[in-house]
Amino acid sequence: MSIEAQNDWRSQLLTRLRSRWLLKTIGIAVYITAFMCTYFALLNHPQSAVTVMPLQPLDHWIGFEPWAVVPYASLWLYIGVVPSLLWLRRDEMGRYLAAVTLLSLAGCGIFYFWPTAVPAFPLDWSAWPLVTWLKSTDASGNACPSLHVAFSVLTAIWLHWLLRRTGAPRWLHGFNVVWCVLIVWSTMATRQHVALDVEVGALLGGLLALVCLYFRPVPVRQPDVCG
């Protein structure tokens, strides 16, 4: 029986969290920094004409909510949960790094060849200091796909896998789903993204998460050697 099978879910998660914690913390910080440098370079220097994303009925149904800045910003805590709990093995950290790297390359590649932005909403952002801060640091460009949504969905799928692997209770699974849904909702409630950005981002993040998590290459069968 494995160590994980012998321990309860709390012990398993704590053991995973403590394993190579300094190396994982540094790695997460370096990876996010590299991604953000690329992201903002593309945001501030689009390579062609910027396309304004169209609105859908869902954009009119979800209203602007200033407090949505809180779950929106919580993405940076949320995406750090999974790599903090993974073993530094090819079948765990290796697959996760493949997923987030492919997602980053796909998103930035789309932004390079097809810059997009959300429409100018008739709102006075200065009435809400936190929203003003968000708009000044993260302009409403690089809209489609929403990488905020893509990384949230990818994280939710991987965290669900981790929680199942450790036998975590249902309330933790529910907490994971609620956190992801709040972040996805916040991208529209802060008017950082529109519905089409969210839909494409969710599709991209979900697809890459599932492929990298569950795909198993078929081993090449060695030919029989006749003696």
Side-chain angles (χ1 to χ4, degrees), residues 150-213:
F151 277 109
S152 297
V153 171
L154 184 147
T155 297
I157 293 172
W158 270 82
L159 188 52
H160 173 75
W161 174 83
L162 261 173
L163 295 175
R164 285 190 61 188
R165 191 176 181 89
T166 57
R170 290 184 179 180
W171 69 264
L172 264 182
H173 289 273
F175 184 78
N176 176 39
V177 172
V178 170
W179 196 350
C180 177
V181 169
L182 276 174
I183 293 174
V184 171
W185 165 81
S186 73
T187 62
M188 299 180 63
T190 55
R191 295 298 185 253
Q192 286 293 99
H193 291 282
V194 297
L196 188 56
D197 308 335
V198 170
E199 293 158 6
V200 178
L203 179 62
L204 180 61
L207 179 62
L208 289 176
L210 293 172
V211 167
C212 293
L213 185 57

